[in-house]
Amino acid sequence: AGKVTVEWTIAPTGDVSMAQIAESGLSNPDVEQCIVSRVQRWKFPEPKNGEVVAVTFPWVFQVAGAED
């Protein structure tokens, strides 16, 4: 369980040109790398005016069935 924050850049083509862990409370490098590798495969609509877009997004993971 824990929070993983990933930051990535969307290139003018809509491809993810860079992705990395910005912060993690998981203490599990294998899971963190898996998340980054999946984000790198994503394809977004091409940004307007050929701009580069920076994104930072947190995911919060918890054990299935665990209460808050």
Side-chain angles (χ1 to χ4, degrees):
K3 180 173 91 170
V4 176
T5 302
V6 179
E7 57 187 19
W8 67 89
T9 303
I10 303 170
T13 59
D15 294 315
V16 174
S17 60
M18 181 281 300
Q20 65 184 18
I21 299 294
E23 180 182 358
S24 179
L26 281 185
S27 300
N28 190 323
D30 291 335
V31 172
E32 294 163 2
Q33 184 53 46
C34 181
I35 294 167
V36 168
S37 70
R38 296 307 185 259
V39 170
Q40 289 173 326
R41 296 179 188 178
W42 292 353
K43 176 77 173 174
F44 292 87
E46 293 181 6
K48 293 182 181 179
N49 300 323
E51 296 178 2
V52 173
V53 178
V55 180
T56 302
F57 191 85
W59 280 276
V60 178
F61 297 92
Q62 65 183 36
V63 177
E67 296 188 26
D68 293 336

